[in-house]
Amino acid sequence: MNSYILKNDDDEKKVLLYKEKTGYSFSPKKGYKRVKKITVLDKNMVSGILEDKVIKYYERLIRIIYSLIANGEDTTSGDVLMAYTEIDRLRNIIMYKYHEHLRKEFIDKYLKKLYVLELELKKVHVLELTEEIEEERGKSR
């Protein structure tokens, strides 16, 4: 197996061996045939990559919750539970998996955003539960 260290700057830095320095590893898209794994050792670059990942995941989560809010009549408790699960998953990813690579300000910002989304989802859930209760009362004749 060949290991390469790619440098993009002109400043000389001490380069440690690959196994001694911690970094973030990922596999590239399927379009690259000979590259199996990429390891990024620069902390700023790792932080940028992971912040982009978290932002994409958060935007997907927002689309899910807005679709629940927009489809108020068609919302079921299973859909709301799925949204809660996704919020909890993103919170765990931020707090435990990527915690050492992300900046503290970024973590605090997105944890607050997740809290706000959870509050909005609780409003949708309460409205959905009241509609289900009213339907059950109407059917009991």
Side-chain angles (χ1 to χ4, degrees):
M1 182 174 113
N2 295 334
S3 295
Y4 299 99
I5 296 177
L6 302 176
K7 289 175 57 175
N8 197 12
D9 55 352
D10 296 332
D11 300 335
E12 290 189 25
K13 295 181 182 177
K14 293 182 180 178
V15 178
L16 298 177
L17 291 177
Y18 170 72
K19 294 179 182 176
E20 292 178 7
K21 194 168 183 180
T22 59
Y24 176 70
S25 298
F26 61 93
S27 299
K29 293 182 180 179
K30 296 186 181 197
Y32 303 100
K33 294 181 181 177
R34 295 187 178 163
V35 179
K36 303 291 183 203
K37 184 178 172 183
I38 297 173
T39 302
V40 180
L41 300 174
D42 185 31
K43 292 185 183 232
N44 293 331
M45 193 179 287
V46 170
S47 178
I49 291 170
L50 295 180
E51 285 176 6
D52 288 343
K53 272 182 119 172
V54 168
I55 290 170
K56 286 179 186 177
Y57 200 92
Y58 178 76
E59 288 173 355
R60 191 184 94 190
L61 184 61
I62 285 178
R63 278 185 257 134
I64 290 171
I65 292 176
Y66 280 154
S67 68
L68 290 177
I69 292 172
N71 300 332
E73 298 172 358
D74 300 334
T75 304
T76 63
S77 58
D79 297 335
V80 175
L81 181 62
M82 181 196 66
Y84 274 123
T85 305
E86 292 296 319
I87 288 174
D88 192 42
R89 181 180 294 147
L90 181 57
R91 183 180 296 122
N92 286 335
I93 287 172
I94 291 172
M95 289 178 62
Y96 300 112
K97 188 174 180 182
Y98 298 156
H99 178 68
E100 58 201 28
H101 299 293
L102 295 174
R103 294 177 291 126
K104 184 173 177 8
E105 301 85 28
F106 183 82
I107 292 172
D108 293 339
K109 175 182 169 184
Y110 273 88
L111 288 178
K112 287 178 185 175
K113 286 184 175 187
L114 288 175
Y115 178 72
V116 170
L117 279 181
E118 195 170 13
L119 290 178
E120 289 297 320
L121 193 58
K122 284 181 182 177
K123 291 178 188 176
V124 171
H125 185 64
V126 168
L127 292 175
E128 184 264 326
L129 284 177
T130 56
E131 289 176 5
E132 283 185 8
I133 291 172
E134 288 175 6
E135 288 177 6
E136 289 177 6
R137 286 184 187 166
K139 290 180 182 177
S140 62
R141 287 187 176 188

